[in-house]
Amino acid sequence: MIAVVDYGVNNLKSVVRALAAGGHTATLTTDPDEVRGADRVLLPGVGNFGQASRTLEQTGLGGAVREVAAAGRPVMGICLGLQLFFEGSEEAPGARGLGLLAGRVRRFATSLPVPHVGWARVDLTGPGRRHAMLASLFSQGAEFFYHVHSYHPTAVAENAVLGIGEYGESFPTLVGEGVVVGAQFHPEKSQRAGMALLDAFARWRP
Amino acid sequence: MLARRIIPCLDVAGGRVVKGVHFESLRDAGDPVWQAARYDAEGADELVFLDISASPDQRETTLEMVARVAESIFIPFTVGGGIRSVADAGAALRAGADKVSVNTAAVRDRSLVPQLADSFGTQCVVAAVDVKRIGGRLAVMVNGGREETSLDAIEWIGELEAKGAGEILLTSMDKDGTGTGYDLPLLRAASAAVSIPVIASGGAGNLPHLAEAFEAGAHGVLAATIFHFQGSTLPEARAYLRERGYPVRP
């Protein structure tokens, strides 16, 4: 069973639906114990880093996600969910992330309109090409995924950057280390490429 | 690098997809859920659903339809028609929309776009502008194109950007449904006036028209007639544009 963590942000149903369309059983849950008992966990999300980090702490859901990762079971973050895996974000300087990945989150520094919205090409890096979960994907070495964000990961360890996007600047948009993986974009809105990525996460045995 | 977008549009009235010419002479183009699923399967980059009847007493029916469409697609989904308040927009987003499109209500209530941007973020706010050339003027039309305003289209879209619109859906009423190509001078002027994406709408009749719109600065092309009736498919459109060097999804 895949637990999709419901911590009061929008846009959760589409993730569950995208997993179900691939034949996977996913449950939306607000219960930390259910998260702890899951085979794998998905943390989606659209919203504010500070608010989300407080909610994860107060509900115990953040701790539960950390325990699942510590137990060696796969954990995936999407958009704000991925950002919450890092130590902190420029969006909410005092707020603490889950610390599952080394690095931080910062705002786009570009003269292009922010938020960055649209289908952006994602190029796999060397570590991305070697990543077991991504092996059967990215047949051309790149895919387009739907992005909606003002902030992105930064100062990520080189071997944890699996895919990069470009919008006035290069940014890590697919990140992972050990059992933890995350996408800055929305696979649940990225049609075939996104469904394939979620399917790969659901089958991944790190 | 952002891909240019090809966006089928479902104009919905009475629970059916319809399409007219110059906003009139509507003809039936099928079931919205079936059409949405088909366009998703063919690789549409987004889908726009406009409730063109937008009568307040049918809000519930429309929202049910929106929810059914949202459940059948895995691409960004914009809903417009009859959204007059933050509460209306919230209901559409809860029903599964990713963005809302506002048109007449944004003209009547100048605080609506800023309120929507504050509540949901600029990425959620699509400002739709219907334009008609009247005596050399680019007039903004409202109320389904039935009512002329004194607003100049280019000034108005600049104002919409400043107010927090995330993108502009620019429809030429003169070109709508004619299949004679987009209003390219309008599109050039609009694209030069704002830095947010401009989506071209009204007039697409063949695949070269889509390329012309990109050339004129459009980030995306909305099309209904060409895909509903004229036998062009999305894979053909993408192949055509890719061969000519436009960044579209494979």
Side-chain angles (χ1 to χ4, degrees), chain B residues 162-238:
Chain B
K163 284 175 180 295
E167 62 188 32
I168 303 289
L169 171 53
L170 184 67
T171 299
S172 162
M173 281 191 64
D174 305 298
K175 292 289 197 169
D176 175 67
T178 63
T180 58
Y182 295 99
D183 184 336
L184 299 175
L186 170 65
L187 205 46
R188 277 189 210 99
S191 304
V194 292
S195 61
I196 53 177
V198 174
I199 311 302
S201 158
N206 56 40
L207 301 180
H209 290 154
L210 307 182
E212 286 170 9
F214 288 153
E215 207 50 50
H219 280 244
V221 286
L222 199 81
T225 308
I226 179 177
F227 297 127
H228 295 343
F229 301 126
Q230 295 185 346
S232 288
T233 66
L234 286 154
E236 282 165 14
R238 281 199 304 279

Side-chain angles (χ1 to χ4, degrees), chain B residues 7 18-19 25 29 49-50 64 67 80-81 87 98 112 115-116 127 139 142 145 150 163 167 200-201 233 243:
Chain B
I7 309 169
V18 295
K19 184 58 204 164
S25 316
F49 176 113
L50 295 177
E64 279 167 29
D98 299 295
L112 179 60
Q115 283 181 47
L116 294 174
V142 294
S150 61
K163 284 175 180 295
E167 62 188 32
S201 158
T233 66
E243 279 162 21

Side-chain angles (χ1 to χ4, degrees), chain A residues 11 13-14 17-18 21 113-121 144 146 148 166-167 188-192 195, chain B residues 1-3 5 40-41 43-45 70-76 94 98-99 122-123 195 238 248-250:
Chain A
N11 203 17
K13 269 189 285 188
S14 53
R17 224 164 28 76
V114 174
H116 172 229
V117 183
W119 291 91
R121 201 177 82 175
F144 284 88
Y146 192 74
V148 183
E166 221 275 341
Y167 187 66
E188 77 281 11
K189 292 285 168 189
S190 298
Q191 222 169 32
R192 278 185 289 272
M195 310 281 273
Chain B
M1 182 197 58
L2 286 175
R5 293 172 270 165
D40 180 68
D45 295 312
E71 277 167 20
S72 60
I73 59 175
F74 298 97
I75 47 176
R94 278 192 301 280
D98 299 295
K99 316 185 211 182
T122 59
Q123 81 288 344
S195 61
R238 281 199 304 279
V248 291
R249 291 197 303 135

Side-chain angles (χ1 to χ4, degrees), chain A residues 54-126:
Chain A
R54 276 192 299 278
T55 307
L56 286 181
E57 191 173 328
Q58 285 161 6
T59 55
L61 285 164
V65 172
R66 265 200 302 256
E67 285 174 40
V68 170
R73 280 172 275 152
V75 172
M76 180 174 186
I78 293 175
C79 197
L80 178 64
L82 162 65
Q83 295 180 0
L84 288 160
F85 286 174
F86 291 97
E87 290 146 6
S89 170
E90 228 176 70
E91 186 178 13
R96 287 195 15 217
L98 298 177
L100 292 171
L101 292 169
R104 287 174 296 108
V105 178
R106 75 164 171 82
R107 194 173 164 89
F108 271 108
T110 167
S111 56
L112 297 169
V114 174
H116 172 229
V117 183
W119 291 91
R121 201 177 82 175
V122 176
D123 287 282
L124 276 192
T125 60

